[in-house]
Amino acid sequence: MDSTKTIRAEGFLLNDILLFDSMGRLDVVDAASICSESMSQRATNSAGRLSAEQAPKRQTFLVTRAITTCSQRGTGGAGGPGGNAGTGGGGGLGEGPQVSLVSESGVINNMTFHNGRQETLDEIHQYFAQDRGSRKVFVLHGLGGSGKSQLAFKFAQQAQTMNREQTAESDMKLLAPATSEATTQEGLYWLASRQGEWLLILDNADEPKLDISKFFPPCTFGNILITTRNPELCIHGGDFKVSDMTLDDAKNLLLKLADKKAIGDNKEQVATTIVKELYCFALAVTQAGGYIHACSSLNKYLELYKASRDNLLQRAEVQGQGQYGLAVYVTWNLSYQKLSTGSRTFLHICSQLHHQNIREEMFQKATLSDMELEDSELQETINNMLAEIGGANQSWDPLVFLELARELQAYSLIEQNIVDDSYSVHPLIQYWSSSTIAKEDMSKSVFTMIGLSVPWRFELADYTYRHSLIYHIAQLFGRRKCDLDTYVATGIALVLSEAGQYQNAEVLQVAIVKRRKQELGNEHPDTLTSMANLANMYRQQGRWNDAESLDVIVFETSKRVLGNEHPHTLTSMANLAATYRQQGRWSDAESLEVAVLESSKRVRGYEHPDTLTSMANLAHTYWQQGRWSDAESLEVVVLEARERVLGNEHPDTLMSMASQAAIYHQQGRWSDAESLEVAVLEASKRAQGRWSETESLGIVVLEANKRVLGNEHPHTLADMANLAYTYRQQGRWSDAESLQVAVLEASKRVLGNEHPDTLRSMANLATTYRDQGQWSDAESLEVVVLEARERVLGNEHPDTLMSMASQAAIYHQQGRWSEAESLQGKGGK
């Protein structure tokens, strides 16, 4: 039976047909081969292979596959006229590709499908199983090479099991009589006349300007499965984003393709490592399996990949890539050639950033920045880049940016997260872009762009924005930390310090201080500010002596150059007081803090954020000395003012809440007005009531700081420690212990094993063990804490003395009297 239909149209080439016979065998026929072979002979051959009596009853889909191609089948346009003594221009590209729609019932069975992704296949089956008799369209969309076509073909292979109502004989009757040439519309009408559950696969419908609906048969029944890089086609029906394979699926695919080259006792482990390096990306895994099968081994490929990743991913000649036929990088290069200049620039920028949380806000803030860079050539480069993506002359055009992002999304080169209005890019796309097509020295330009976007305001939105930059900075820090503009480096250091990455911030601050001393002199206000910032990095790392040396220089110089009540002088005085407080020098800290507070009230006003900070610092010093009433009276004022001026979730407000909760911890008896005649039971009830108040406040602070600062920021860890203390006071040992273990592990990771906050976390956990009678566990921790504090803080620091007392208490509980007395005598000297 001759069943060929040929249709001409622009933009598409439908050149293959998939058809299941009633025995479930798959037929894949190329249009060219059909045209050259007698259709009647093929029908005869097909009929000779099975009969209606032999075939089990089942429903089959007539499955037609449509493939877009870049080949041009039309005739080129006329050449241009020649100039003086010149030759004419080249001919045009042609009228467009040919479209063929072909159906055939023979069996060739020449496609191989890989196992895995069954959940996705089940979802497609469920979608097409609903509303039988009505037309359904399902779109598989994703990055080129993610495995969309494989999923579509595998679904088609499985579709013959959906039900068993028709025979091979009835299938034959579905095929239309052949005509030699027809229009697109005639071909679609032909398919529309095939009443039943047929499946049309529109494969690789990637051209963004293509109206895919023109290829839908004009009927209300049938099933259409589309594979595309363009997520906008999801508007036509159900959809699924085809992304990376699961780890197990990717590993199994690699081992299957590598075949006999996958040997060794550790082959599962090596294969897992390889697919992780490839981010479980389907085409990359397929390409790796083909390469290993042809000329390598698992271990050798892993070695080659780490040394020559980009060379391997752009190799196109290796066999074993299935029907796709293109290497990973070659696939994306085809899309890249179709992009506009602005979209290419945006993709280059994205290749330098972290692959997630890329926001328009960053480029907008960089455009609006009024800071001029020291390097005028770099400034011009960045201005040009921003102009290409929507920013020019300190003005931002969101529509330009949106169109560029939409263009990249149409090829699945980036993905939008609707929930938080951010963009992401696949890590392999980043490797491809940065290694094969990115502009020279792009990393410095992008890092500078980030620095220009850093705001020097301290509202909640500013903290939140700076926190969103930390992963992008981490991506670039190792490559570009030493040659940044001074202003840019200062902004980057601010982001790092707020994220608790003090060592990285210190690296930048040291370079800034050195450069400013050379360029501006030792007593310039900007030099003093950079020295104060460096001192703060030392202070945050527990390096009190280093911090004190710088703080004293900055304070004395500021008094002499700027005057006693200049804001910079007051800030330097507060910084020195903070260092004294951390050293346990309460009297020195208090005298400075009282002076700062009085001057700040006079110069800045009572509710200025810096005045409130001064008040909070003095309250903390009172708290450290056990002066709970003095501390609470100040903290109440600070908390109320910060809630009113800054809002409930500003980091400074959250810190005040935490401080207020800490004061509740230490008071024990909550009211001096409580009478001695009040029964112990009533007093316990009141106490428990205040613990509940403390717990609620601690939970509010902890959750807000997690949201604003992140789970492992030092402030968040301090809030977790405070909440754990509340649980311990309530006798909720298990809750306290789980929080304290988490805090200790995170502190070791973020701050280091001997940071004062890490040692404090260890001491807190030891106390919880001691309260539960776990003397051995408590002792092992306390020994570590005491030795470290003696080494880091000195024998007479209050924290060291507290450790001695805690360890002595443990010895007492164990009846080890002589060891306890020895420690008590040592601490009393």
Side-chain angles (χ1 to χ4, degrees):
M1 179 183 298
D2 188 351
S3 59
T4 303
K5 293 201 177 286
T6 303
I7 309 154
R8 293 191 182 278
E10 285 195 21
F12 236 32
L13 175 63
L14 310 183
N15 64 352
D16 284 347
I17 171 268
L18 310 181
L19 175 67
F20 288 105
D21 68 13
S22 56
M23 291 298 289
R25 291 177 293 190
L26 177 63
D27 193 355
V28 183
V29 182
D30 180 76
S33 66
I34 294 175
C35 294
S36 62
E37 184 176 347
S38 165
M39 296 303 295
S40 59
Q41 180 63 41
R42 291 165 79 70
T44 301
N45 292 343
S46 178
R49 283 196 294 268
L50 76 153
S51 66
E53 290 76 20
Q54 294 171 319
K57 291 186 177 181
R58 66 177 68 202
Q59 177 179 351
T60 63
F61 280 164
L62 174 66
V63 186
T64 307
R65 173 191 177 203
I67 300 181
T68 59
T69 71
C70 296
S71 62
Q72 302 297 325
R73 299 297 182 89
T75 303
N84 293 334
T87 57
L93 291 178
E95 298 171 353
Q98 186 183 56
V99 177
S100 299
L101 181 62
V102 183
S103 65
E104 157 66 25
S105 61
V107 179
I108 296 180
N109 224 357
N110 66 345
M111 293 189 75
T112 302
F113 300 101
H114 308 308
N115 295 326
R117 288 180 164 171
Q118 189 57 49
E119 289 184 4
T120 306
L121 291 164
D122 291 343
E123 183 175 333
I124 304 173
H125 277 292
Q126 289 171 10
Y127 181 82
F128 283 123
Q130 62 188 350
D131 298 328
R132 301 298 292 272
S134 64
R135 184 168 77 181
K136 295 174 287 294
V137 179
F138 196 86
V139 181
L140 292 170
H141 61 99
L143 185 58
S146 58
K148 305 179 295 295
S149 298
Q150 274 280 330
L151 269 172
F153 303 155
K154 189 170 183 180
F155 167 74
Q157 187 186 54
Q158 293 181 354
Q160 44 90 22
T161 65
M162 293 183 70
N163 84 47
R164 306 184 175 191
E165 297 177 354
Q166 298 184 3
T167 66
E169 181 178 1
S170 63
D171 281 340
M172 289 292 187
K173 293 177 182 179
L174 289 176
L175 300 178
T179 61
S180 58
E181 292 285 331
T183 65
T184 303
Q185 197 66 23
E186 287 174 345
L188 297 177
Y189 275 119
W190 169 78
L191 193 53
S193 68
R194 307 302 92 193
Q195 183 77 40
E197 293 293 332
W198 46 258
L199 175 65
L200 172 66
I201 298 179
L202 300 175
D203 190 32
N204 295 339
D206 299 328
E207 177 56 49
K209 296 180 181 179
L210 174 70
D211 181 6
I212 192 67
S213 64
K214 292 194 304 183
F215 296 92
F216 293 175
C219 58
T220 59
F221 54 86
N223 306 279
I224 302 172
L225 181 57
I226 302 171
T227 73
T228 179
R229 302 182 190 188
N230 186 3
E232 292 188 10
L233 297 190
C234 296
I235 194 173
H236 293 293
D239 70 274
F240 182 84
K241 180 182 180 297
V242 181
S243 54
D244 299 332
M245 304 177 73
T246 66
L247 185 61
D248 281 344
D249 284 351
K251 179 195 68 176
N252 293 335
L253 173 58
L254 181 70
L255 291 173
K256 178 179 179 180
L257 294 173
D259 196 19
K260 297 178 181 178
K261 297 294 182 70
I263 58 176
D265 295 337
N266 65 339
K267 67 178 183 180
E268 297 271 340
Q269 180 182 350
V270 178
T272 298
T273 302
I274 290 174
V275 297
K276 283 182 178 179
E277 289 283 344
L278 297 170
Y279 294 92
C280 298
F281 189 68
L283 181 56
V285 174
T286 302
Q287 185 176 335
Y291 188 91
I292 294 168
H293 179 76
C295 53
S296 186
S297 66
L298 290 172
N299 285 300
K300 184 62 177 177
Y301 181 86
L302 182 58
E303 180 183 332
L304 288 171
Y305 183 85
K306 290 181 177 180
S308 306
R309 177 192 63 215
D310 299 321
N311 287 335
L312 283 175
L313 292 179
Q314 62 191 351
R315 292 176 65 91
E317 70 275 11
V318 175
Q319 299 297 314
Q321 289 163 217
Q323 288 74 33
Y324 205 86
L326 295 176
V328 178
Y329 282 7
V330 175
T331 298
W332 298 331
N333 278 331
L334 294 176
S335 296
Y336 180 78
Q337 299 304 320
K338 301 177 183 179
L339 297 177
S340 65
T341 300
S343 292
R344 291 181 181 187
T345 296
F346 184 35
L347 185 61
H348 296 159
I349 293 171
C350 291
S351 71
Q352 303 298 320
L353 299 170
H354 188 268
H355 67 276
Q356 293 180 323
N357 200 32
I358 300 170
R359 298 176 182 274
E360 177 186 358
E361 185 180 13
M362 184 179 80
F363 309 112
Q364 181 181 16
K365 288 181 181 296
T367 299
L368 300 179
S369 172
D370 57 3
M371 179 55 58
E372 286 291 328
L373 300 176
E374 299 159 352
D375 185 340
S376 59
E377 186 176 339
L378 178 61
Q379 180 78 62
E380 183 179 1
T381 298
I382 290 175
N383 288 344
N384 290 338
M385 288 170 58
L386 290 171
E388 289 175 353
I389 65 172
N393 301 320
Q394 291 191 310
S395 176
W396 180 255
D397 189 337
L399 290 178
V400 172
F401 182 84
L402 183 62
E403 284 303 313
L404 298 179
R406 183 182 177 187
E407 185 179 354
L408 289 171
Q409 286 176 267
Y411 293 101
S412 288
L413 293 173
I414 66 170
E415 180 182 351
Q416 185 179 24
N417 185 336
I418 302 298
V419 175
D420 64 359
D421 195 25
S422 67
Y423 298 92
S424 61
V425 58
H426 196 284
L428 287 182
I429 288 283
Q430 290 186 305
Y431 294 154
W432 158 68
S433 176
S434 61
S435 64
T436 63
I437 60 175
K439 299 176 182 177
E440 185 178 355
D441 211 15
M442 179 63 71
S443 61
K444 183 175 183 179
S445 298
V446 174
F447 209 177
T448 301
M449 200 179 294
I450 294 174
L452 289 173
S453 79
V454 174
W456 285 91
R457 297 177 302 276
F458 296 90
E459 301 300 323
L460 176 60
D462 302 312
Y463 281 103
T464 302
Y465 171 71
R466 286 193 292 269
H467 180 67
S468 73
L469 297 176
I470 190 63
Y471 290 110
H472 300 309
I473 290 172
Q475 185 84 355
L476 289 159
F477 188 79
R479 288 179 277 171
R480 286 294 175 189
K481 63 188 175 213
C482 296
D483 61 348
L484 293 175
D485 179 275
T486 302
Y487 174 81
V488 169
T490 303
I492 299 297
L494 173 64
V495 177
L496 290 168
S497 63
E498 286 183 344
Q501 296 187 19
Y502 303 124
Q503 291 181 341
N504 288 340
E506 179 193 339
V507 171
L508 291 178
Q509 291 293 358
V510 167
I512 292 167
V513 169
K514 181 179 180 181
R515 190 181 303 175
R516 283 188 166 162
K517 282 183 176 181
Q518 292 172 344
E519 296 174 355
L520 305 175
N522 290 352
E523 295 189 349
H524 190 281
D526 288 349
T527 304
L528 296 176
T529 298
S530 63
M531 292 171 68
N533 290 337
L534 178 57
N536 184 50
M537 293 306 99
Y538 291 148
R539 194 162 44 246
Q540 296 291 355
Q541 296 175 75
R543 294 162 58 182
W544 317 126
N545 292 337
D546 292 335
E548 181 186 353
S549 299
L550 276 179
D551 282 333
V552 169
I553 294 172
V554 173
F555 176 42
E556 295 298 331
T557 307
S558 296
K559 281 199 301 184
R560 186 173 64 256
V561 174
L562 303 174
N564 288 347
E565 292 197 340
H566 189 281
H568 288 183
T569 305
L570 296 180
T571 299
S572 66
M573 195 183 306
N575 289 339
L576 180 57
T579 301
Y580 287 156
R581 189 170 63 244
Q582 296 287 3
Q583 292 172 306
R585 296 163 60 178
W586 314 123
S587 178
D588 292 336
E590 181 182 344
S591 62
L592 281 176
E593 286 168 344
V594 168
V596 170
L597 178 57
E598 294 305 315
S599 294
S600 192
K601 286 179 181 177
R602 198 163 48 248
V603 173
R604 296 161 168 159
Y606 278 73
E607 290 198 345
H608 188 281
D610 290 346
T611 304
L612 297 177
T613 298
S614 302
M615 200 177 297
N617 290 339
L618 181 56
H620 187 61
T621 300
Y622 289 153
W623 182 86
Q624 293 280 12
Q625 298 175 79
R627 295 163 60 180
W628 315 124
S629 179
D630 292 336
E632 183 178 2
S633 62
L634 284 176
E635 279 293 357
V636 168
V637 174
V638 174
L639 179 56
E640 290 177 353
R642 281 178 168 170
E643 286 178 330
R644 188 169 56 253
V645 175
L646 302 176
N648 289 341
E649 287 201 352
H650 190 283
D652 290 350
T653 307
L654 299 178
M655 196 176 297
S656 290
M657 287 175 146
S659 298
Q660 187 73 49
I663 292 171
Y664 290 156
H665 293 164
Q666 299 293 343
Q667 284 178 319
R669 293 178 60 187
W670 312 118
S671 175
D672 292 336
E674 285 180 351
S675 170
L676 289 177
E677 290 81 18
V678 175
V680 173
L681 178 59
E682 291 302 316
S684 298
K685 286 181 180 178
R686 276 195 300 276
Q688 179 61 37
R690 287 299 286 270
W691 285 123
S692 297
E693 180 182 350
T694 300
E695 179 185 347
S696 300
L697 193 56
I699 291 173
V700 169
V701 173
L702 175 58
E703 293 305 317
N705 261 342
K706 281 183 178 179
R707 190 164 56 251
V708 176
L709 301 175
N711 288 344
E712 292 197 346
H713 190 282
H715 291 178
T716 305
L717 298 179
D719 297 332
M720 291 173 69
N722 289 339
L723 183 57
Y725 181 85
T726 301
Y727 289 153
R728 195 173 78 232
Q729 295 298 96
Q730 293 173 300
R732 295 165 59 181
W733 313 120
S734 178
D735 292 335
E737 181 181 340
S738 62
L739 267 181
Q740 288 170 334
V741 168
V743 170
L744 177 56
E745 293 305 315
S747 294
K748 287 179 179 179
R749 206 162 43 243
V750 175
L751 303 173
N753 288 348
E754 293 197 345
H755 189 282
D757 289 351
T758 304
L759 297 177
R760 190 173 296 115
S761 300
M762 199 177 296
N764 290 339
L765 180 57
T767 301
T768 300
Y769 287 151
R770 191 180 66 216
D771 289 344
Q772 298 176 82
Q774 298 174 225
W775 310 117
S776 178
D777 293 334
E779 181 185 352
S780 63
L781 286 178
E782 282 291 2
V783 167
V784 174
V785 173
L786 177 56
E787 290 178 352
R789 281 177 168 171
E790 286 178 331
R791 186 168 58 255
V792 175
L793 303 175
N795 290 341
E796 295 189 359
H797 190 281
D799 288 351
T800 307
L801 299 176
M802 190 179 299
S803 289
M804 290 181 184
S806 297
Q807 193 164 337
I810 293 172
Y811 290 155
H812 269 296
Q813 294 288 352
Q814 295 175 299
R816 295 159 62 180
W817 313 116
S818 60
E819 291 172 274
E821 289 173 7
S822 174
L823 268 181
Q824 288 172 328
K826 185 178 178 182
K829 290 181 181 178

